[in-house]
Amino acid sequence: MATQALDNNVLPVGAKVRIRSIMPPGHVRAPAYVRGKTGDIERVIAPFKNPEQLAYGLPAAEQILYRVSFSAVELWGDEAENPEDRIEAEIYAHWIEELETANAT
Amino acid sequence: MPHDHHDHLSPSGHPYRQDDDTPLSYWQSMEIAVRELLVEKNITTLEEISTQIDKMDARGPALGAAVVARAWVDPAFKSRLLKDGSAASGEMGFDVGPMHLIALENTADTHNIVVCTLCSCYPRNLLGLPPDWYKSRAYRSRTVKEPRKVLSEFGVNLPNDTQIRVHDSTADMRYVVIPARPSGSEDLSEEDLAKLVTRDSMIGTGLAMMPNA
């Protein structure tokens, strides 16, 4: 969706990423269980005004929203029910660190 | 002997439930104050608020079921739905409002299930109000960690070679699952197919009903 309009900084589908391992207070939209974890970009959604600023009535810059897919093993280790299962979450660009760029699909 | 009032039982034989009178919470008081101010300043009216509540109450899983049934019978619609859930639902005449919808298709080897771990995001324009359990801490915390166990408690036992995709609705998108079309439903009309599509099957905690079940 709407990816053509975005600039070259947009991560491609399949890119390996790590979610920032920080614990800021407030209305943050990256759940704690994915922080510090590695996954890959499942799709690029679109830019949205950053809800972490909007929630406080602050001027909110647009941030690209991605869906990041994690393996159950990456998140839960030995406690994963099935190694093939995936957990996918919407993560804003400012929470994402790129590890390596895979080829866009 | 004085008449026994049975004052702990109602005439129906059920115990009386205590009134749950509690002081207003901070946010309840805030809501009333803001509502009254908005009305006083002619920004909205009480009629407008009632109309919105009626609209909200009128939305229910039947809307989502109609979308799923259309996707089952119309492959072109299904591909539009998978590409842009909001636009395709809007195509059917539903007021999707500001909702950004992603549709997820269950297949022979993939099962999708939706949760919002951070709060209780739910595609209200398409499914109405969420069930209470969807907002419970147990559902929200367990579904990302042990989806198979949660599913089994809903009576859904999936084979190990079915991949589960758990979708955590953390930000701006809302999700609806397109359950697999049940076998034996080949001859049903779109309208009858919609009757097989339960609310839970669109959250991913259930499957579509079998015809004649």
Side-chain angles (χ1 to χ4, degrees):
Chain A
M1 292 183 224
T3 51
Q4 297 87 337
L6 304 175
D7 62 29
N8 293 329
N9 296 326
V10 178
L11 296 168
V13 169
K16 291 261 175 282
V17 297
R18 181 172 172 272
I19 310 306
R20 295 179 70 192
S21 186
I22 52 173
M23 288 286 169
H27 184 78
V28 292
R29 304 317 292 169
Y33 70 88
V34 302
R35 297 186 204 167
K37 303 292 184 185
T38 300
D40 44 66
I41 302 290
E42 188 265 345
R43 73 178 84 178
V44 183
I45 299 173
F48 284 94
K49 286 187 175 176
N50 183 356
E52 299 177 358
Q53 295 162 321
L54 276 184
Y56 299 98
L58 298 169
E62 286 201 331
Q63 290 280 357
I64 295 169
L65 185 61
Y66 295 94
R67 296 189 81 242
V68 181
S69 173
F70 305 90
S71 89
V73 173
E74 169 68 9
L75 297 185
W76 314 118
D78 291 346
E79 291 174 35
E81 287 182 316
N82 186 314
E84 298 304 316
D85 291 346
R86 308 292 299 182
I87 294 91
E88 302 174 22
E90 295 157 49
I91 307 289
Y92 276 97
H94 61 282
W95 275 94
I96 290 176
E97 298 164 345
E98 188 179 6
L99 293 179
E100 62 185 78
T101 306
N103 290 329
T105 52
Chain B
M1 187 175 162
H3 177 67
D4 185 346
H5 286 282
H6 293 289
D7 59 0
H8 58 293
L9 290 181
S10 79
S12 67
H14 293 286
Y16 281 109
R17 199 163 73 176
Q18 291 264 323
D19 286 330
D20 58 354
D21 297 328
T22 51
L24 290 178
S25 70
Y26 173 83
W27 294 111
Q28 284 172 319
S29 306
M30 179 74 93
E31 183 275 321
I32 294 168
V34 170
R35 167 157 44 91
E36 289 181 350
L37 274 169
L38 290 172
V39 171
E40 211 173 287
K41 290 177 181 295
N42 292 317
I43 293 167
T44 187
T45 63
L46 293 173
E47 291 75 15
E48 207 170 46
I49 293 169
S50 296
T51 306
Q52 278 303 320
I53 292 173
D54 285 346
K55 265 174 93 171
M56 205 184 294
D57 284 347
R59 295 183 195 126
L63 302 178
V67 171
V68 170
R70 175 70 55 88
W72 281 347
V73 300
D74 181 345
F77 177 79
K78 185 170 82 181
S79 57
R80 292 199 297 279
L81 183 66
L82 291 170
K83 195 158 174 254
D84 184 340
S86 309
S89 307
E91 224 179 88
M92 292 190 66
F94 300 144
D95 172 20
V96 290
M99 177 179 69
H100 300 284
L101 186 74
I102 290 180
L104 308 154
E105 187 184 18
N106 285 353
T107 62
D109 49 17
T110 309
H111 182 88
N112 296 280
I113 179 170
V114 182
V115 61
C116 174
T117 58
L118 296 179
C119 41
S120 56
C121 299
Y122 192 74
R124 291 170 188 235
N125 292 67
L126 211 53
L127 300 187
L129 296 174
D132 283 346
W133 53 258
Y134 185 83
K135 299 183 275 185
S136 70
R137 190 176 288 272
Y139 181 77
R140 289 162 47 216
S141 56
R142 293 181 56 213
T143 303
V144 287
K145 177 103 190 261
E146 45 184 27
R148 290 172 186 269
K149 206 174 281 176
V150 170
L151 280 165
S152 73
E153 288 168 24
F154 279 93
V156 177
N157 292 294
L158 297 173
N160 263 332
D161 56 1
T162 298
Q163 183 186 48
I164 295 188
R165 291 174 66 192
V166 180
H167 303 271
D168 189 354
S169 185
T170 44
D172 288 77
M173 308 308 287
R174 300 294 176 266
Y175 296 88
V176 66
V177 175
I178 308 173
R181 181 172 174 168
S183 54
S185 66
E186 292 75 13
D187 298 331
L188 294 185
S189 66
E190 189 177 328
E191 199 186 342
D192 285 335
L193 284 170
K195 293 175 191 153
L196 304 177
V197 185
T198 62
R199 176 196 68 196
D200 285 10
S201 74
M202 293 182 280
I203 300 174
T205 51
L207 307 175
M209 293 190 292
M210 301 299 281
N212 310 316

